[in-house]
Amino acid sequence: MDQANQALPVYEDPSNHPSLRVIDLLRVSTDPLDEISRGPDGEQADILLCIAAEMMIAYAELWRAVSEKKTQLSALYARNLLELFVWTNYCIASAANAKRFSEDSERDLDGLRVIVGKLAQFATQTPEGNEHVKSNIPELYKYVEQLDELVGRDVKFKHVPDAAAEIGPEMAILYKTLNTIFSKLIHPTALVVRSNHWTKDPSELINIFLTIGTQLCLSAAMAIAAFAKPYKGTK
């Protein structure tokens, strides 16, 4: 049997799981950031700590999805790692970029409060039971129409492809290509819907996702370590 098509090995000892080695490299690379976060470059270091923590979670979930042979989830977590890799490099590039990313998170939170509040209003007015679904769909449209205006009101957000382009042409191509591939398998596209009826083992494809995700994590760890290196030995 083709080695790429074999099921991933089962690690009875969780401490020996390969994902832990990559996560440990990420953790080690971020250790100096805690000290840096208390200094003048604190906001930049703090943002990188948050991104790295999210990468650790996404990488662990990618391993879980691959071990369970879940193609859509594998693609989802691989794409999450891709976006986090872009944000890592974007925030490392300058303190201004890190500040911009931080401000976007605050805008996201403020906007989410408004949107969730509007959806909650609809939910509280919606009777329970399938017999009411048909009559309430038009009302849902009205709420969604209002939300569409709220969502599109703020155009200040930095989007991932724009951040990738600012980093450089190589990053822009990397993001565009991989994002296209991952997205085709995350969303319920015709390919995904039809693939539900396929019997072929997806191990070869999802192991590719795992390889890409691993490289993204390792590259992010190296970039963070390079960022932190000048601060070593300083207080």
Side-chain angles (χ1 to χ4, degrees), residues 44-217:
Q44 194 173 9
D46 186 59
I47 287 295
L48 290 172
L49 274 170
C50 292
I51 294 174
E54 195 65 28
M55 288 195 83
M56 294 178 200
I57 295 171
Y59 187 67
E61 291 298 333
L62 173 59
W63 255 98
R64 182 194 300 273
V66 170
S67 67
E68 296 175 355
K69 297 185 179 181
K70 294 181 178 179
T71 305
Q72 282 181 279
L73 281 178
S74 298
L76 172 64
Y77 288 116
R79 190 181 69 172
N80 285 357
L81 288 170
L82 173 64
E83 294 190 3
L84 290 166
F85 176 67
V86 171
W87 289 127
T88 297
N89 286 274
Y90 176 78
C91 292
I92 284 175
S94 71
N97 285 358
K99 182 176 179 63
R100 171 65 183 272
F101 186 73
S102 178
E103 290 172 347
D104 276 357
S105 69
E106 294 172 4
R107 279 192 286 268
D108 263 335
L109 182 59
D110 290 341
L112 188 61
R113 289 195 185 101
V114 175
I115 293 170
V116 170
K118 291 290 184 181
L119 288 175
Q121 290 177 17
F122 171 76
T124 57
Q125 296 175 17
T126 303
E128 296 181 0
N130 292 334
E131 67 275 10
H132 298 289
V133 171
K134 185 176 180 179
S135 62
N136 277 277
I137 288 298
E139 292 299 319
L140 177 59
Y141 287 156
K142 293 179 182 178
Y143 275 86
V144 170
E145 185 179 14
Q146 297 172 16
L147 293 177
D148 184 60
E149 182 180 350
L150 290 171
V151 171
R153 185 175 56 189
D154 193 342
V155 294
K156 297 179 181 178
F157 290 100
K158 176 68 67 176
H159 299 289
V160 185
D162 296 331
E166 287 186 22
I167 296 168
E170 292 183 354
M171 183 68 77
I173 293 172
L174 177 72
Y175 174 76
K176 180 179 180 181
T177 303
L178 292 180
N179 181 63
T180 299
I181 295 170
F182 294 145
S183 295
K184 285 184 180 296
L185 294 167
I186 293 170
H187 303 297
T189 59
L191 172 64
V192 170
V193 172
R194 289 296 303 272
S195 70
N196 289 333
H197 303 286
W198 296 348
T199 56
K200 185 177 179 180
D201 191 331
S203 295
E204 183 174 4
L205 177 62
I206 60 180
N207 272 290
I208 292 173
F209 293 166
L210 179 59
T211 299
I212 293 172
T214 299
Q215 291 301 317
L216 291 170
C217 284

